[in-house]
Amino acid sequence: MTDTTKTDRSPWAVFLIFLRLGLISFGGPIAHLGYFRDEFVMRRQWLTERSYADLVALCQFLPGPASSQVGIAIGLSRSGYAGALAAWAGFTLPSAIALILFALGIASYGDAMPSGVLHGLKVVAVAVVAQAVWGMARNLCPDAPRITIMAAATCFVLLVPSAWGQVGVIAIAAVIGLSLFKPQKGAPHDPLPIAIRRRVGLFWLTLFFALLMGLPLLTAMFPNQTLSMVDAFYRAGSLVFGGGHVVLPLLQAEVVPSGWVSNDAFLAGYGAAQAVPGPLFTFAAFLGASMNQAPSGWLGGLVCLLAIFAPSFLLVVGALPFWERLRRNTRTQAALLGINAAVVGLLLAALYQPVWTSAIHVPQDFGLALVALVALMFWKLPPWLVVVGSGVAGWLLSVTL
């Protein structure tokens, strides 16, 4: 492993590299990981192929947005904690700013925007989630036991539509995975180039769990809108396994029933989030900016953005010192197989409620969703182009029918 320059170890240099990636990284978390591999393994040689694969495995094991966590870890390895923050900011800010501006535009000019455009954005969300369900099911549910776990998880969360119901499904799936699966021991690998002492890692993990358990108590003791938002988005960022799309049901359960954000705005923002580069978790910035109660706007967007990504920082830095031992533990791998299958079930449930039920009302809606799905899966068109096309198609359908 070699360095291209001495200067690219500075946090500013890390920020600029990730900012460029944040401006061009369309296509979701798998595509993001491909961009990172090309940039940091092939081009800059900051990591070896094996150490990069190991880092990806760690971040897929942890809850949260895997591609953002990989970026945080790369920044940490390059320039310490400041580098981790710089990598996250560079990769995240372009899409976060774009989504906040979109939220403010809806708030200010929503009446001027044709209703068909917003409906088109809701319809394209059906295609995006369906593509995610299909791709994840093929990879994570290849056999009858895991397909069964997926189906059972879907049924359960539809019957118990709450954030804690989803957490319960994940916990049950982990226990089932322990009893059903016997994975092989891992292949040889290169150690990750990140030196963090176990005592430091334990501190960050303790802080993660303290906030996860303590924020609901603080919210109950001191009712406050800002504290409630931090609690809801921190919990969503802490409990999402399987990628950004899986955050959809958790966030919907938090912000729509409470009246913070309307369901129409939620789905329109989720559709718009497909048209911007960078991590899907920046959808939190849109929701924060769209709040019907203060804080909203730029402040609300920043609060929710920081809250949903905070667990990623704490988990990555906290888990790195223990990963070498953990990755060799076959019981951990078995539990993860069950969890991953349940995650697909959560996303399948979200595809039906709220995505499908809120967007597909007439045959034309189904036709538009089908065209968008074919464009994404088989024509391989860029997601932003499919989103824009769906918005235009929604408008055209509204004026011609």
Side-chain angles (χ1 to χ4, degrees), residues 71-82:
I72 290 168
I74 292 173
L76 181 70
S77 70
R78 202 68 188 164
S79 193
Y81 292 116

Side-chain angles (χ1 to χ4, degrees), residues 215 217-220 222-232 295 303:
L215 283 172
L217 297 176
L218 287 175
T219 303
F222 307 102
N224 176 276
Q225 175 66 13
T226 302
L227 191 58
S228 296
M229 288 164 57
V230 171
D231 172 38
V303 168

Side-chain angles (χ1 to χ4, degrees), residues 155-194:
C155 295
F156 185 88
V157 297
L158 287 174
L159 292 171
V160 186
S162 69
W164 291 112
Q166 294 154 13
V167 175
V169 163
I170 291 173
I172 293 169
V175 174
I176 294 173
L178 282 172
S179 62
L180 284 183
F181 305 118
K182 307 297 181 187
Q184 300 289 326
K185 287 189 176 292
H189 70 289
D190 296 332
L192 295 173
I194 302 173

Side-chain angles (χ1 to χ4, degrees), residues 63-65 129 132 136 163 166 170 232-255 266 270 273-274 279-285 287 304 307-309 343 346-347 350 354-355:
V129 178
M136 292 174 66
Q166 294 154 13
I170 291 173
F233 282 81
Y234 183 90
R235 187 165 60 251
S238 302
L239 301 176
V240 171
F241 288 87
H245 291 287
V246 187
V247 81
L248 174 68
L250 285 173
L251 290 179
Q252 195 271 347
E254 294 288 354
V255 304
F266 181 92
Y270 185 73
Q274 315 307 317
L280 188 58
F281 264 49
T282 54
F283 178 44
L287 295 176
C304 294
I308 202 168
F309 276 103
V343 160
L346 294 183
L347 193 55
V355 178

